[in-house]
Amino acid sequence: MAYNLQSLITILEGILNPEESLWIVNHNKPRLQSLLQKAESLLQILEKSSLTNIPSNLESQIRDVSYKAEDIIETRMVSSKLMQDRISKFEQVVSNSVGLAFPTSDLQQLTEDLDLVMEQVLKLMQGRNTTSSNRASFSHGEVQQAAQQLESVNLVEVEEKKMSAGASLSSSKNDLVGVDADMLQLKDRLTNMQTKLEIIPITGMGGIGKSTLARNLYDDPLIISHFDYRGWAAISQLPNMQDILLSLLRRPNKKIDAELNARNENELKDILYKRLFGRRYMIVLDDIWSTMFWDKVRMYFPDNNDGSRIMITTRESHVAQYVANSKSLHHDMQLLSKSSSWDLLRQIVFGEEDCPLDFQWIGTKIASECGGLPLAIHVIGGLLSKVKRSMDVWEHLSTDVKASIVESEERFSNILSLSYNHLPIYLKPCFLYMGAFPEDTEIKGSRLMSQWIAEGFVKSNGDKSLEEEAKDYLKLLVERNLLLVTRKKSNGKAMSYSVHDLLRDLCIRKANEEKFLHVKDSMRRVSVESSYEMDDVCASPQLMSLARSFICTSDKINISSVLCILRLVRVLDVMGMLLEEFPEEILQLVNLRYLAINCSSGLPDGISRLHNLHTLICPHFVPYVTSEFWEMCELRHISFERTIMTIGKIKFDLKKLQNLSTVWITPKLIRSGCFEGIPNIIKLGIYYEDSPNIEVDLSHLHKLEILHCESELDKDGSRFLHKLRFPSNIRKLTLRRCVVFRSLLATLCTLPNLEVLRIVECAFEREGEAAEEWEATKGGEFRSLLFLHLQSLNLVHWKADETNFPKLQRLFVARCYKLEEIPSAIGDIPTFQEICILECGASTVASAQQILKVQQEEYGNFDLKLYIL
């Protein structure tokens, strides 16, 4: 497959980069440059062709050549680096450069292999009779001409980055077409006067919209107000009881608190039963596959005789029959009619725009050939919204769709395959990578992007950073309905993603075909969830030695055996387990670019051997970090729970570092010039405990957008904020367990780009005394603030009006037990959309209700939402 070429190109560019001081290639440089040029030329042609007309055997040949080149080059790089480390250690000298030499025969063979596939691609696409005698003589002009011809005869996709967001598919993800009657019927069953606990099964084939219908009901305002408690859990084919119980105990859109995470399965079952007992609840168990699971959980759902409901979704009718105990009618979802199918497709592709008359007949044809399956329509709609809007393109796609639908069982997978085949080359590996994660996994966008970058999938165009490009990749996959946004940030932007289980099936099937994931004769990327799977992969050490990603999602697996095998690995994600000591074997993985590890010990001496490391994540408290850490100039993202940076007599120079959290501020750290050495930092977390008089100047960090400041309220350091100089570009600011002065709030008002402000577990003070009030001053304007989060504060009085927060959209107030009321003028802010109150006093709740009442009765503002949790 052609996408492997980008990874190869990334490797070669790193070796040949004139600013890269690590590798000395000497006489091999011309051949490596030639390899790079050939790989870039081949990729250019294949990008234009979108692989539409390339036979599978040629795809396999391109893939195998790419893999072979990567293996030869990276094996030599790893061997050279390890040898250099041993020499340096033995001779007690430090060398910044490593000699890198290749056998001439290896590079010659790789060159010939690339020439051969180039010849076959050009012959296939141009119809040219290229002879073996001129395999190595393709000029840049010939490549350009071939690419232009390909562009004119193949399906032309509109430039991804210039597409309008007007037809964003994610916006219609929960829109339902043709199921109004289903909604009304199920709402009635959920809210009728029947007091006995009722189980409501929603059944139907995969992709028919069972989960979407259940989610729309779950989030419906009538349902929210009717039930005292709601819980949702995705079950899947391999249910994890611990995760399911935690999901049911999690408040909507909130994280699991640490106390629940620490409980075992039996304790969680008891907590769930007690939480549901005596309350009218709605539970959704999404995607049940077996009766055994129901037998394990049924006793923990009490019948309070108060109208509680349990809704399940399943593809298996016998499971629904068993769970409902034959006493409840199944709600069997039907395929959409032709007219409803076209309505849904038109909504996805055109949004609020009118569909041109010329496209209606062909659009109706495409919609009808999706067989009334909503997910298939969403996927085809995602494709149509991204390609050139012309009759030729739509007719071409309609022919492909019709050809794909041969038999009922194959219809859906063929439609999904069509969407995959028309993905741009650079998006294919990113989509296939989702198959490495367990079913129903919610994956943070930052994690995905860092892993894609570490694998070499992302190419920077020079104007954007790798992270910015990867963010565009995520957006494009969401717009094509191949990824789902499962959680959003406070500013409304996507934070976490998942893949529909049927799309994940496609990921795995395609990945197996293309030897992208763990298959019988290839272990390029390996994901294990059990000890059995670990034993299986360790039984093939030769194949495992070539793995580039290893992801372990279990906390009960011994990984020491596999660490000795992984030689060329780029991504090592073992964050699911807690390790007492940092495994020394990891220090031999010098090709590593991404490391996520939950280790309670400090990072060991020798960590700088991982000279390629881009991302280091450790969610456990790290007691110290060796100063050697600051010699790793490739670092881009560092995420620690909290740590003390051990500082030696070194110069900070981490120009690529974008994310650093959380660092413990000490006088020695400040004197070392730490913050002067990270000029491109975007996200920073700092922690104070003592030394309140330390002055920290961050004003020169012009790219810093996200700042998290934390302390301990019972320590002197909690008063450090008056000594902190903020950069002007801050967009998100979190203050946790700090003392907040009036002068600080005045300073925050001067930050022109501040969109999100969280003040959590802080104490408000005035002139050294507890103020217990926040009185926004006249002219004290948070001009760009969109989201305000106040939690666990000593506030009693809060005085403000609409002029203080002119753009505020959302207000979240949690556990502010002393707060008497929310300022009534908050409701007059033109942009205001939502108030959320969690565990506050009755007067606070009453003030929020009064704001809502005034807005609705006096101003007719029914868009304002109030949530009391």
Side-chain angles (χ1 to χ4, degrees):
M1 278 298 289
Y3 57 72
N4 296 301
L5 288 167
Q6 181 54 56
S7 177
L8 174 60
I9 289 168
T10 300
I11 296 168
L12 291 168
E13 286 177 337
I15 296 173
L16 296 170
N17 186 350
E19 298 180 0
E20 173 64 66
S21 60
L22 181 65
W23 302 111
I24 302 174
V25 291
N26 294 332
H27 66 280
N28 289 139
K29 189 171 183 178
R31 288 195 177 275
L32 292 172
Q33 289 174 328
S34 176
L35 274 176
L36 176 59
Q37 183 180 4
K38 292 177 184 297
E40 289 176 330
S41 297
L42 180 58
L43 180 59
Q44 183 182 16
I45 287 204
L46 294 169
E47 284 179 334
K48 295 293 185 182
S49 72
S50 298
L51 292 182
T52 305
N53 300 318
I54 295 185
S56 59
N57 63 329
L58 182 52
E59 290 183 1
S60 299
Q61 191 175 350
I62 296 169
R63 177 198 65 221
D64 293 343
V65 169
S66 301
Y67 281 174
K68 178 182 177 182
E70 285 186 26
D71 293 343
I72 288 175
I73 294 172
E74 288 193 302
T75 296
R76 181 65 63 170
M77 292 170 70
V78 167
S79 299
S80 299
K81 183 65 173 69
L82 290 175
M83 178 63 71
Q84 182 68 26
D85 288 342
R86 285 192 289 270
I87 293 173
S88 297
K89 183 178 180 180
F90 179 75
E91 298 180 355
Q92 296 184 340
V93 297
V94 178
S95 174
N96 293 324
S97 300
V98 179
L100 184 60
F102 299 90
T104 302
S105 58
D106 284 352
L107 297 184
Q108 179 65 32
Q109 184 61 55
L110 292 178
T111 300
E112 292 177 2
D113 290 343
L114 278 174
D115 283 336
L116 178 60
V117 294
M118 174 73 86
E119 173 192 1
Q120 294 184 59
V121 168
L122 287 175
K123 187 183 295 184
L124 177 68
M125 296 302 180
Q126 296 179 280
R128 289 178 54 179
N129 295 318
T130 308
T131 62
S132 58
S133 61
N134 59 5
R135 287 177 182 172
S137 63
F138 300 115
S139 69
H140 180 71
E142 287 179 300
V143 172
Q144 289 291 98
Q145 183 182 8
Q148 291 170 2
Q149 292 178 4
L150 291 170
E151 188 171 18
S152 67
V153 299
N154 284 294
L155 178 63
V156 181
E157 296 204 60
V158 177
E159 179 70 30
E160 295 286 352
K161 295 160 192 174
K162 296 181 181 178
M163 283 293 292
S164 166
S168 174
L169 299 174
S170 58
S171 64
S172 63
K173 182 61 65 177
N174 289 327
D175 289 343
L176 294 173
V177 173
V179 292
D180 292 342
D182 301 72
M183 286 286 290
L184 289 173
Q185 183 181 347
L186 289 169
K187 275 188 186 180
D188 180 67
R189 291 181 65 178
L190 287 167
T191 60
N192 62 26
M193 300 301 293
Q194 178 179 320
T195 58
K196 187 172 179 61
L197 173 67
E198 183 181 2
I199 300 170
I200 304 173
I202 301 178
T203 57
M205 66 181 295
I208 203 166
K210 302 182 297 295
S211 299
T212 303
L213 178 60
R215 174 59 70 178
N216 274 266
L217 288 162
Y218 184 80
D219 291 334
D220 188 273
L222 174 64
I223 301 301
I224 293 173
S225 62
H226 182 78
F227 291 96
D228 302 321
Y229 188 92
R230 294 177 303 132
W232 179 292
I235 311 306
S236 77
Q237 292 172 284
L238 297 173
N240 183 310
M241 187 62 71
Q242 183 95 357
D243 291 343
I244 290 168
L245 292 168
L246 288 172
S247 295
L248 293 174
L249 289 168
R250 178 174 62 191
R251 296 182 182 276
N253 300 318
K254 302 298 176 186
K255 293 182 178 179
I256 302 294
D257 58 47
E259 182 180 353
L260 284 177
N261 265 323
R263 301 300 183 95
N264 62 38
E265 184 176 310
N266 289 331
E267 290 174 326
L268 291 174
K269 289 176 179 177
D270 290 338
I271 293 171
L272 177 63
Y273 184 89
K274 292 175 182 177
R275 185 171 291 186
L276 298 180
F277 188 81
R279 306 173 79 176
R280 182 161 63 194
Y281 61 84
M282 176 190 180
I283 296 294
V284 178
L285 302 175
D286 185 34
D287 199 19
I288 292 184
W289 286 79
S290 72
T291 59
M292 293 177 58
F293 166 77
W294 175 249
D295 288 337
K296 292 179 180 179
V297 299
R298 61 192 305 176
M299 66 188 71
Y300 300 102
F301 300 124
D303 186 356
N304 300 317
N305 202 32
D306 60 358
S308 292
R309 301 286 185 263
I310 298 175
M311 180 177 288
I312 71 165
T313 70
T314 180
R315 303 180 200 180
E316 306 292 333
S317 296
H318 76 279
V319 173
Q321 185 81 7
Y322 180 88
V323 172
N325 200 22
S326 302
K327 296 180 180 179
S328 181
L329 295 175
H330 301 180
H331 189 90
D332 192 21
M333 294 193 69
Q334 303 300 311
L335 294 170
L336 297 179
S337 65
K338 289 186 178 181
S339 61
S340 294
S341 295
W342 168 234
D343 287 341
L344 179 58
L345 183 63
R346 181 175 56 200
Q347 178 179 306
I348 292 170
V349 177
F350 294 97
E352 298 298 323
E353 299 177 26
D354 291 329
C355 171
L357 291 176
D358 293 341
F359 286 86
Q360 290 191 10
W361 73 270
I362 190 67
T364 302
K365 179 184 178 185
I366 293 173
S368 66
E369 289 177 349
C370 290
L373 199 59
L375 186 57
I377 296 171
H378 270 283
V379 174
I380 291 297
L383 178 59
L384 288 173
S385 69
K386 303 306 293 181
V387 299
K388 184 177 181 180
R389 193 173 291 177
S390 75
M391 290 300 298
D392 289 342
V393 171
W394 280 49
E395 287 179 1
H396 177 85
L397 277 175
S398 71
T399 302
D400 281 354
V401 172
K402 186 174 182 179
S404 298
I405 303 173
V406 180
E407 295 180 5
S408 176
E409 289 79 14
E410 297 178 357
R411 181 180 306 171
F412 184 74
S413 67
N414 286 339
I415 290 175
L416 290 179
S417 296
L418 175 64
S419 182
Y420 170 78
N421 292 338
H422 283 88
L423 272 177
I425 287 175
Y426 62 88
L427 288 182
K428 287 186 175 181
C430 301
F431 175 64
L432 294 184
Y433 205 81
M434 300 298 293
F437 300 99
E439 192 174 9
D440 296 319
T441 298
E442 182 179 300
I443 312 162
K444 290 188 68 174
S446 56
R447 177 187 184 187
L448 269 178
M449 291 189 294
S450 292
Q451 291 178 344
W452 291 348
I453 291 170
E455 275 275 11
F457 298 155
V458 182
K459 178 182 179 180
S460 174
N461 63 9
D463 296 329
K464 292 183 177 181
S465 68
L466 291 171
E467 287 75 13
E468 289 171 326
E469 287 288 341
K471 192 174 296 183
D472 286 344
Y473 291 11
L474 274 173
K475 181 181 177 182
L476 290 168
L477 288 172
V478 170
E479 289 178 351
R480 289 170 176 268
N481 277 341
L482 293 173
L483 286 188
L484 305 174
V485 176
T486 53
R487 192 186 298 259
K488 293 185 177 181
K489 301 176 184 177
S490 51
N491 59 3
K493 295 181 180 179
M495 181 174 70
S496 298
Y497 302 82
S498 65
V499 62
H500 190 283
D501 55 353
L502 294 176
L503 288 169
R504 181 176 177 273
D505 291 342
L506 173 70
C507 275
I508 293 173
R509 180 163 56 84
K510 288 293 183 181
N512 287 345
E513 291 173 5
E514 297 166 9
K515 298 184 179 180
F516 184 85
L517 293 175
H518 171 202
V519 292
K520 184 176 181 180
D521 58 346
S522 176
M523 293 187 178
R524 209 69 186 180
R525 290 158 192 93
V526 178
S527 176
V528 298
E529 302 178 49
S530 65
S531 297
Y532 172 80
E533 290 176 327
M534 178 66 82
D535 293 340
D536 182 44
V537 299
C538 288
S540 305
Q542 186 172 358
L543 292 176
M544 274 296 291
S545 68
L546 302 177
R548 297 313 201 274
S549 282
F550 180 79
I551 300 173
C552 181
T553 56
S554 172
D555 59 352
K556 299 179 175 64
I557 296 179
N558 183 355
I559 62 169
S560 59
S561 57
V562 78
L563 293 178
C564 300
I565 304 173
L566 295 169
R567 181 173 175 81
L568 303 180
V569 68
R570 301 167 184 162
V571 174
L572 181 63
D573 190 337
V574 292
M575 200 165 57
M577 61 189 73
L578 177 60
L579 304 175
E580 293 183 0
E581 297 291 336
F582 187 94
E584 290 290 326
E585 297 91 340
I586 291 179
L587 298 182
Q588 303 299 310
L589 307 180
V590 295
N591 204 38
L592 206 60
R593 290 160 173 79
Y594 177 101
L595 175 60
I597 184 170
N598 196 356
C599 180
S600 58
S601 68
L603 299 178
D605 292 336
I607 192 70
S608 61
R609 295 181 202 167
L610 307 181
H611 65 282
N612 285 312
L613 199 64
H614 294 172
T615 301
L616 176 60
I617 301 172
C618 184
H620 198 277
F621 172 72
V622 179
Y624 69 92
V625 172
T626 173
S627 59
E628 190 180 315
F629 188 70
W630 297 103
E631 300 172 15
M632 302 169 66
C633 60
E634 294 297 321
L635 280 170
R636 306 172 74 91
H637 305 281
I638 305 170
S639 181
F640 293 129
E641 174 66 21
R642 192 186 304 156
T643 188
I644 300 173
M645 297 298 186
T646 303
I647 305 302
K649 294 182 179 180
I650 62 172
K651 180 181 179 181
F652 285 85
D653 189 20
L654 297 182
K655 290 186 174 65
K656 296 182 181 179
L657 192 64
Q658 299 178 25
N659 178 8
L660 174 60
S661 63
T662 301
V663 57
W664 198 325
I665 301 296
T666 63
K668 191 173 183 180
L669 184 78
I670 299 301
R671 291 195 300 269
S672 71
C674 170
F675 297 122
E676 285 71 26
I678 51 174
N680 294 307
I681 198 77
I682 295 173
K683 181 178 180 180
L684 177 64
I686 57 176
Y687 173 82
Y688 277 76
E689 188 168 287
D690 298 307
S691 306
N693 293 321
I694 296 178
E695 182 170 332
V696 179
D697 186 359
L698 305 179
S699 60
H700 64 284
L701 299 177
H702 301 301
K703 295 185 179 181
L704 184 61
E705 297 182 359
I706 304 171
L707 178 61
H708 184 112
C709 302
E710 185 174 352
S711 184
E712 298 291 342
L713 271 177
D714 58 348
K715 301 287 186 179
D716 288 340
S718 62
R719 290 170 172 78
F720 71 91
L721 290 174
H722 69 287
K723 290 283 189 178
L724 180 64
R725 296 184 62 187
F726 295 93
S728 60
N729 286 329
I730 287 290
R731 289 192 304 106
K732 299 180 183 180
L733 175 63
T734 299
L735 308 177
R736 184 180 296 273
R737 292 192 288 272
C738 303
V739 174
V740 176
F741 301 89
R742 176 175 292 184
S743 59
L744 170 69
L745 295 170
T747 299
L748 299 185
C749 287
T750 66
L751 299 176
N753 301 313
L754 186 63
E755 297 177 350
V756 175
L757 175 60
R758 293 186 177 90
I759 307 178
V760 181
E761 300 177 39
C762 292
F764 282 69
E765 279 193 3
R766 180 177 59 201
E767 298 175 355
E769 298 180 358
E772 297 187 346
E773 72 174 16
W774 178 7
E775 183 174 359
T777 60
K778 186 176 182 179
E781 177 184 318
F782 289 83
R783 68 186 81 170
S784 299
L785 197 67
L786 305 177
F787 176 75
L788 178 61
H789 178 131
L790 306 175
Q791 180 176 331
S792 302
L793 307 178
N794 65 336
L795 277 182
V796 177
H797 306 290
W798 178 21
K799 300 177 182 179
D801 59 37
E802 67 273 21
T803 65
N804 299 120
F805 306 99
K807 294 184 179 180
L808 192 67
Q809 296 177 359
R810 298 171 57 209
L811 172 66
F812 182 81
V813 182
R815 302 186 182 93
C816 293
Y817 303 111
K818 295 182 178 181
L819 184 63
E820 294 183 351
E821 65 178 9
I822 296 171
S824 59
I826 292 290
D828 297 329
I829 300 172
T831 57
F832 201 47
Q833 301 172 4
E834 179 183 304
I835 305 175
C836 186
I837 307 294
L838 172 64
E839 297 180 16
C840 290
S843 63
T844 303
V845 173
S847 68
Q849 292 172 331
Q850 181 63 23
I851 290 173
L852 182 67
K853 181 180 179 182
V854 169
Q855 288 297 309
Q856 291 180 346
E857 294 182 358
E858 297 187 14
Y859 301 103
N861 180 10
F862 292 95
D863 293 329
L864 179 62
K865 306 299 181 185
L866 172 61
Y867 301 98
I868 301 174
L869 305 176

